[in-house]
Amino acid sequence: MVTTPIVVAPAIDFADVRAEFDLVDEFPPEALAEARRAADRFADVREDRTDLPLVTIDPPGSMDLDQALHLERTDDGFVLHYAIADVYALVEPGGALDAETHRRGQTYYLPDGSVPLHPRELSEGTASLLPDAVRPAVLWRIETDHRAEPVAVSVRRALVRSVARMHYAGVQRDADAGRLHPSVEALPDFGRLREAAALARGAIELRLPAQDVVQDGDDWTLQIEPRTEADEWNSEISLLTGMCAAQIMIDARVGLLRTLPPADPAAVDALRRTARSLDVPWPSGLGVGAFLASFDANDPKTLVLMSEAPTLLRGASYAAFDGELPETILHGAIGAPYAHVTAPLRRLSDRYATEVCLAVSSGRDVPEAVRAELSAMPKIMSSTDSLAGKVNRACIDLTEAVVLAPRVGETFEATVLKEATERRDAEVFVVSETVIGPCGGAPEEGSTVRVRLTLADPQARKIRFDHDR
């Protein structure tokens, strides 16, 4: 993990970003009214599983809690219960709220707050798996063997109650101290087994330094997004559930997959050439995922390799199908078929993929109303994923420019992530300021150089460095 000093920016107004991308927090009155009077449409078929001591693990302060888990060891493996907020049960199909969520597609996160997919009365209230509250949920039960590979999967509607609200850093501290909550005592072992399984199936994980804009009183800080082992373990729970959901839908020949083509051989060859140029050995027979996972995150060479690794993973999409499987069913980064089903409060597609899994698991036909929505999801989700990426980039670009504006002319030490080409400047990572930006000149890829800040324009949201020889 790269650690950096925290750099504080003056007060920043992200309203311009919201306006630029037409992000409006308020909901139409009819949609808001529906959210406020939402009632469980499947109350009469739910199993009461409030006996399960489920817990949630989310970033501090989160209120839109989609998931709660309980993990136990068995004589020959594990049993995972994973409760997901049952949004479909609370949103009336064809209503005003349904229409508004189709327009939004997903929740957008900005440093000064989110623009939610659902009204907060629902997403942070009646649907959220908040502690000590009985909630309607979709409950996954995944039984695994001793390697944490699934051997039996079921999903059904239930009433659940979370008994504890946790965050990643706290879970990590408890794990390090050997005092984990009983409901997640097995999580470290389970997570590590799932990580090993991921490498075995050729999964590719990118570990680029992720910039994060965090509020500090009235000001803002730029820092590397904290990432603990607990984050990874919890992520493996969601990934496993998504893989199980994908297999259910593939077997039934109806559903919605998140797809990504396998790594392009030409991109793998280019990464090998970069490794050779950096004198980084790549043992024969070692897969791309295992190769990238073997590096120290603090090594500048790791940053260079990781900055090129995204070229391996291009073409992410959503594939809806009903009868005939899509040409691509694999998610190349995960190394298996995969579906989004674990964040319905924040992502529209999960609502419908989950309904497919519920129907198939119970032996029922998938409702026609659900089938009818599947074909619309790829366009909605791809366009809103693109928008979410632009919003995030705009917020980071604005903060970088504000942080650095008073420091134009100063020099900094930087790692060269990408060398210049005929089409673009070099790209450098200035660790001390937690910024990544273009750099003029021809610094050598992988080298540590001095760069001079020549531009920091908050209005244009642009920064630029030049190689300071």
Side-chain angles (χ1 to χ4, degrees):
M1 175 69 67
V2 178
T3 58
T4 69
I6 295 176
V7 180
V8 179
I12 300 175
D13 186 357
F14 294 96
D16 287 346
V17 175
R18 292 169 183 264
E20 177 180 339
F21 295 104
D22 194 26
L23 300 179
V24 180
D25 188 88
E26 294 78 14
F27 282 76
E30 298 85 356
L32 187 57
E34 286 184 11
R36 287 172 174 168
R37 64 172 182 262
D40 181 6
R41 293 185 291 116
F42 300 97
D44 58 336
V45 299
R46 290 195 189 276
E47 179 180 350
D48 188 340
R49 290 311 314 268
T50 54
D51 60 301
L52 276 172
L54 297 160
V55 301
T56 60
I57 307 175
D58 290 274
S62 295
M63 294 294 289
D64 51 347
L65 309 184
D66 287 285
Q67 313 123 6
L69 72 129
H70 178 268
L71 182 64
E72 62 181 306
R73 301 178 192 271
T74 64
D75 291 340
D76 53 1
F78 304 85
V79 172
L80 167 68
H81 282 97
Y82 203 35
I84 308 299
D86 194 349
V87 177
Y88 189 78
L90 298 172
V91 177
E92 187 67 37
L97 178 55
D98 190 34
E100 180 64 12
T101 57
H102 277 69
R103 188 188 71 80
R104 296 185 179 220
Q106 60 183 277
T107 295
Y108 300 95
Y109 292 95
L110 292 86
D112 61 349
S114 64
V115 178
L117 174 60
H118 302 91
R120 298 185 196 280
E121 289 87 342
L122 190 148
S123 63
E124 298 181 359
T126 54
S128 181
L129 303 183
L130 296 166
D132 301 319
V134 176
R135 291 287 188 259
V138 174
L139 185 63
W140 290 81
R141 184 185 187 276
I142 303 174
E143 184 179 345
T144 80
D145 62 17
H146 65 281
R147 299 169 302 160
E149 293 289 354
V151 296
V153 179
S154 65
V155 55
R156 59 196 184 278
R157 286 193 151 95
L159 286 175
V160 302
R161 177 169 46 213
S162 167
V163 300
R165 179 179 177 180
M166 304 176 179
H167 55 82
Y168 301 113
V171 171
Q172 187 66 57
R173 286 194 299 270
D174 288 347
D176 294 342
R179 58 168 185 259
L180 278 169
H181 190 284
S183 294
V184 290
E185 179 276 329
L187 185 59
D189 290 342
F190 188 86
R192 290 175 184 130
L193 286 168
R194 292 303 305 166
E195 288 171 346
L199 291 179
R201 59 177 189 267
I204 301 173
E205 181 184 0
L206 304 184
R207 294 183 295 161
L208 275 169
Q211 295 165 285
D212 202 8
V213 180
V214 180
Q215 193 162 19
D216 181 19
D218 293 331
D219 300 326
W220 300 90
T221 65
L222 268 170
Q223 61 185 44
I224 296 299
E225 182 180 7
R227 191 81 180 173
T228 67
E229 282 188 291
D231 290 74
E232 308 299 338
W233 303 332
N234 194 56
S235 177
E236 291 295 339
I237 297 288
S238 182
L239 288 172
L240 173 61
T241 306
M243 291 165 62
C244 291
Q247 195 59 55
I248 287 173
M249 291 187 282
I250 289 169
D251 290 344
R253 296 294 194 271
V254 57
L256 180 68
L257 303 178
R258 181 67 165 144
T259 62
L260 181 68
D264 185 340
V268 176
D269 289 342
L271 188 65
R272 288 186 183 276
R273 289 194 295 272
T274 299
R276 284 196 297 270
S277 71
L278 296 172
D279 294 323
V280 176
W282 190 330
S284 176
L286 188 66
V288 176
F291 173 67
L292 293 174
S294 66
F295 296 116
D296 176 3
N298 295 298
D299 189 332
K301 294 180 179 180
T302 300
L303 298 180
V304 175
L305 290 166
M306 287 297 175
S307 72
E308 294 202 3
T311 62
L312 301 168
L313 306 175
R314 289 179 173 171
S317 186
Y318 294 83
F321 57 102
D322 192 347
E324 184 176 341
L325 291 179
E327 182 177 347
T328 299
I329 64 171
L330 182 74
H331 193 292
I334 294 172
Y338 176 69
H340 283 322
V341 292
T342 64
L345 289 174
R346 294 169 279 171
R347 195 168 47 214
L348 178 65
S349 60
D350 299 42
R351 188 191 304 175
Y352 299 104
T354 294
E355 288 305 304
V356 175
C357 293
L358 280 165
V360 173
S361 187
S362 66
R364 295 181 290 106
D365 288 339
V366 178
E368 287 302 321
V370 173
R371 289 179 184 267
E373 294 288 359
L374 292 176
S375 62
M377 289 301 107
K379 182 177 180 180
I380 292 173
M381 297 313 302
S382 293
S383 63
T384 57
D385 281 348
S386 175
L387 178 57
K390 292 175 182 177
V391 170
N392 182 63
R393 187 66 254 171
C395 292
I396 291 173
D397 288 346
L398 173 59
T399 307
E400 286 182 331
V402 172
V403 167
L404 293 177
R407 307 184 67 181
V408 172
E410 292 187 25
T411 59
F412 306 88
E413 185 176 274
T415 297
V416 183
L417 300 180
K418 296 178 182 178
E419 62 188 11
T421 69
E422 292 181 358
R423 296 183 177 181
R424 58 166 172 78
D425 288 327
E427 184 177 87
V428 297
F429 177 38
V430 180
V431 179
S432 64
E433 313 306 313
T434 323
V435 298
I436 298 173
C439 181
E444 182 181 354
E445 188 172 81
S447 62
T448 299
V449 298
R450 299 295 297 181
V451 296
R452 184 179 301 277
L453 179 66
T454 55
L455 173 69
D457 184 344
Q459 185 171 359
R461 300 201 292 262
K462 291 185 180 297
I463 62 172
R464 179 183 170 84
F465 299 92
D466 278 319
H467 185 199
D468 190 46
R469 298 176 183 277

